[in-house]
Amino acid sequence: MKERHLGRSGLLVSRLGLGTMTWGQDTEPDEAAEQLVAFVDAGGTFVDTADVYSDGDSERILGHLLREFVDRDGLVVATKAAIRPNGRYDGSRRHLLRALDASLDRMDLEHVDLWQLHVYDPATPLEETLSALDEAVASGRARYVGVSNYAGWQVSKAAAWQRAWPGRAPVVSAQLEYSLLRRDIEREVVPAVLDAGAGLLPYSPLGRGVLTGKYRTGIPAGSRAAAPHFFEFVQPYLDEECARIVESVVTAAEGLGVSPLSVALAWVRDRPGVAAPIVGARTAAQLGAILESEDLTLPGEIRGALDDVSDMSPAHS
């Protein structure tokens, strides 16, 4: 698997990241082990988790696998903080540094390679939130820092504040939902991220699974939409407009002799500023299909057609 720099930093990551949101909930530890080993064997190096995933079990499972199955030094381990277990946003210095320590304890690590602010907390002064990032890097508990789910102006403000004085930890990444079904971030957030010199880490690059084509004729048993705790997550992308985009992806895949999944993933992977789309698979078999997309580069005419059909600019909305 090829690697890319994360924004303008020196940190190299595989151009596909392994997400672990389902680990400990829909993905059992043995299945997670198969996924991680397959990912590493394919050349993957970037693994992303968060302190709130499965109430911390995602981090616990990842920590166990790092000790027992793969070489930790060969991986870029990323986690996130700023959401309390009750769902409340908390960007206070107190909460963030306690959360980082708890994450390190669950994973039995001395440091993470990338520590990200999971959400923007409007109730806490941004300079206080960012001071926690500086402390994490200065203390050696994190090597690099980034943000997640920030609006364009929030990315710009955070990046500018961190650049204002020597010694502050620069914002090197921004994790955002981005796919052929979710291109609204191109209006303000992507330009802000590019201007900040950060790397884009798209999550849900397969449109929450819809771009695989599995929902074209209904909701299959065993899919995320069939699970009560995931239906509301998938449902927004089951409308007619999204179905039209999915059909275009399927048509392109048929013409290229590849899967719709590969087409959708290659499209977002090669968008401007993208370092590594983060994919989450429930099973090792699903991850295997995802890894097959590595060799696909979309022809210009197909990329242009997909750009047009999924265009969310005012002239097309």
Side-chain angles (χ1 to χ4, degrees), residues 199-234:
L200 279 167
L201 299 172
Y203 67 82
S204 293
L206 298 176
R208 307 183 185 185
V210 175
L211 286 165
T212 64
K214 70 173 69 175
Y215 299 106
R216 295 170 70 204
T217 58
I219 298 177
S223 66
R224 283 187 176 179
H229 58 285
F230 266 123
F231 175 74
E232 291 187 2
F233 179 68
V234 179

Side-chain angles (χ1 to χ4, degrees), residues 49-111:
T49 185
D51 62 344
V52 292
Y53 290 171
S54 302
D55 296 324
D57 283 343
S58 173
E59 290 183 330
R60 293 187 187 94
I61 292 171
L62 177 57
H64 170 71
L65 299 184
L66 293 175
R67 293 190 300 273
E68 301 294 331
F69 290 92
V70 297
D71 177 17
R72 186 269 179 268
D73 290 338
L75 292 180
V76 175
V77 178
T79 193
K80 299 180 283 291
I83 304 177
R84 288 181 175 270
N86 62 8
R88 175 190 165 193
Y89 295 178
D90 191 342
S92 68
R93 181 184 174 95
R94 176 178 184 270
H95 170 74
L96 288 173
L97 293 175
R98 290 178 67 181
L100 176 58
D101 288 339
S103 290
L104 294 174
D105 183 63
R106 282 189 288 269
M107 292 186 283
D108 193 22
L109 296 176
E110 294 182 354
H111 74 273

Side-chain angles (χ1 to χ4, degrees), residues 176 178 185-195 200 272:
L176 303 150
Y178 190 21
I185 68 166
E186 293 177 352
R187 297 173 183 171
E188 295 184 3
V189 188
V190 171
V193 172
L194 295 176
D195 182 69
L200 279 167

Side-chain angles (χ1 to χ4, degrees), residues 31 34-35 38 261 281-292:
E31 191 79 35
E34 288 187 42
Q35 287 187 24
L261 178 158
R282 288 186 300 106
T283 68
Q286 288 179 346
L287 180 61
I290 289 170
L291 293 174
E292 291 177 359

